[in-house]
Amino acid sequence: MTGQATDLGPDGAQAKAATLMEALPYLQRYAGRTFVVKYGGHAMGDEDAASAFARDVVLLKQVGIDPVVVHGGGPQIGAMLERLGHESEFVDGLRVTDETTAEIAEMVLSGAINKSIVARIQDAGGKAIGLSGKDGRLVQAKKLERTKRDPDSNIERVVDLGFVGEPETVDTAVIRTARDAGMIPVIAPVASGADGKTYNINADTMAGAIAGALGAARLLLLTDVTGVKDAHGELVPELSPADIERLTAEGTITGGMIPKLETCTAALDAGCEAAVILDGRVRHAMLLEFFTASGAGTLVRSQG
Ligand SMILES: Nc1ncnc2c1ncn2[C@@H]1O[C@H](COP(=O)(O)OP(=O)(O)O)[C@@H](O)[C@H]1O
Ligand SMILES: CC(=O)N[C@@H](CCC(=O)OP(=O)(O)O)C(=O)O
């Protein structure tokens, strides 16, 4: 240790110590609390980024926080569908899912992606367990009912998205069992319905439902922007559910950001303390968010 401090020089060593000290109040505040991290397909990036993410998760666990990872894999499902010559279409950010698509989505999410995240966490020195909504009946899905207003006739029409689901019930017992065994749960957004069918669930929605059911201290949504931007393109550091409604009505929040922020509001309503939208492409974005006074990204909480 002495040798390393000397190598850094007295100023460098002091700066390193100051960074660690800045983290102390946050380490104390969050010890024993649960953080649900949604790791999206776009945020997965390259090998180095994926390893850095895994190391961050292991660090959280090491300092006494309970991370729960819920992952996506939209681009990876798209690539596999293309390889297999199966067409894919999105409605309002959700993939229309026929029986074959559901099968392929499960293969990619619960198979390839889930296991590679588990392996990386273990390479970084953690113990991880790969799950989907099906395991231990963590999530039971129901078919997502979606309607859309026809702009010409102004009539609400039902849009059939096939086997796209939403969580109907969440039983967190399997997560608590994993946590008590010192493991980090890594969850794929796939679940069975009461009809025994496999449902494909948007990963943000899955993460929000789990964060709400766990009463998590934070729901972290890692994406490919620095956070929510206002009408001038400036980062908004903090939002309340009322701000979200206003910015959506004004047309400042669009596309994939709409379901993401709806998820934040739903998670807060269900018992999660706060949610954060942050840039998963930035190395150690999670650590900067949790352990520095300035934070990162956009914080969503009720009092605004
Ligand atoms: N007001 C806004 N602030 C930031 N991003 C926004 C906003 N409105 C729409 N977006 C879009 O939302 C996208 C993030 O949603 P999405 O692509 O679904 O993310 P992911 O694939 O990580 O789940 C951003 O890349 C951006 O294009
Ligand atoms: C219903 C639905 O759209 N499911 C998503 C599930 C994966 C996901 O949400 O992945 P990202 O977070 O990487 O976008 C899909 O099929 O792409």
Side-chain angles (χ1 to χ4, degrees):
M1 268 325 257
T2 316
Q4 282 179 10
T6 310
D7 291 347
L8 279 168
D11 291 347
Q14 282 301 324
K16 205 170 185 181
T19 306
L20 279 170
M21 285 316 294
E22 191 183 347
L24 180 62
Y26 303 101
L27 291 168
Q28 289 167 329
R29 184 188 304 166
Y30 296 130
R33 303 298 313 276
T34 300
F35 287 180
V36 174
V37 183
K38 187 270 177 156
Y39 185 40
H42 284 117
M44 284 170 200
D46 58 19
E47 296 273 312
D48 287 351
S51 298
F53 169 81
R55 286 201 305 275
D56 286 2
V57 169
V58 172
L59 187 141
L60 292 179
K61 185 79 175 172
Q62 193 70 46
V63 298
I65 290 166
D66 280 314
V68 173
V69 178
V70 179
H71 65 85
Q76 295 81 350
I77 297 169
M80 181 59 80
L81 287 168
E82 203 178 311
R83 250 170 79 183
L84 298 174
H86 198 79
E87 299 256 320
S88 185
E89 180 203 344
F90 282 85
V91 173
D92 292 340
L94 299 169
R95 188 188 308 275
V96 180
T97 302
D98 61 14
E99 211 148 353
T100 306
T101 304
E103 206 178 306
I104 293 167
E106 181 170 37
M107 190 174 90
V108 172
L109 293 169
S110 286
I113 296 180
N114 188 277
K115 297 309 155 207
S116 86
I117 298 170
V118 165
R120 276 182 206 286
I121 290 175
Q122 293 181 164
D123 287 347
K127 262 203 296 179
I129 183 165
L131 303 168
S132 79
K134 292 183 175 181
D135 295 286
R137 292 191 187 278
L138 168 58
V139 169
Q140 181 168 297
K142 65 173 183 192
K143 184 177 164 74
L144 182 76
E145 299 294 345
R146 180 79 20 170
T147 56
K148 225 175 151 62
R149 192 169 293 280
D150 185 288
D152 298 326
S153 63
N154 206 29
I155 293 171
E156 286 257 308
R157 294 189 193 286
V158 174
V159 188
D160 188 0
L161 300 175
F163 294 102
V164 173
E166 63 178 329
E168 182 172 36
T169 58
V170 183
D171 178 350
T172 57
V174 66
I175 296 181
R176 287 182 276 113
T177 304
R179 179 192 62 199
D180 294 347
M183 291 195 255
I184 299 167
V186 177
I187 303 164
V190 173
S192 297
D195 54 6
K197 300 283 188 190
T198 294
Y199 284 87
N200 176 15
I201 300 174
N202 172 270
D204 292 329
T205 311
M206 184 85 167
I210 290 171
L214 287 168
R218 288 286 183 277
L219 165 64
L220 240 82
L221 299 173
L222 298 183
T223 183
D224 61 351
V225 281
T226 51
V228 180
K229 313 274 181 62
D230 65 16
H232 309 289
E234 299 287 328
L235 176 72
V236 184
E238 192 164 330
L239 284 175
S240 68
D243 296 330
I244 293 172
E245 261 185 51
R246 181 176 45 78
L247 290 174
T248 306
E250 286 170 11
T252 306
I253 293 166
T254 58
M257 197 49 80
I258 296 176
K260 220 176 269 306
L261 290 172
E262 281 173 359
T263 293
C264 294
T265 301
L268 299 193
D269 286 347
C272 172
E273 274 174 28
V276 187
I277 311 278
L278 88 169
D279 196 343
R281 301 165 308 174
V282 172
R283 291 289 144 89
H284 309 304
M286 273 194 288
L287 303 187
L288 294 171
E289 167 56 29
F290 289 137
F291 300 129
T292 64
S294 50
T298 300
L299 179 71
V300 182
R301 61 175 165 184
S302 290
Q303 54 272 49

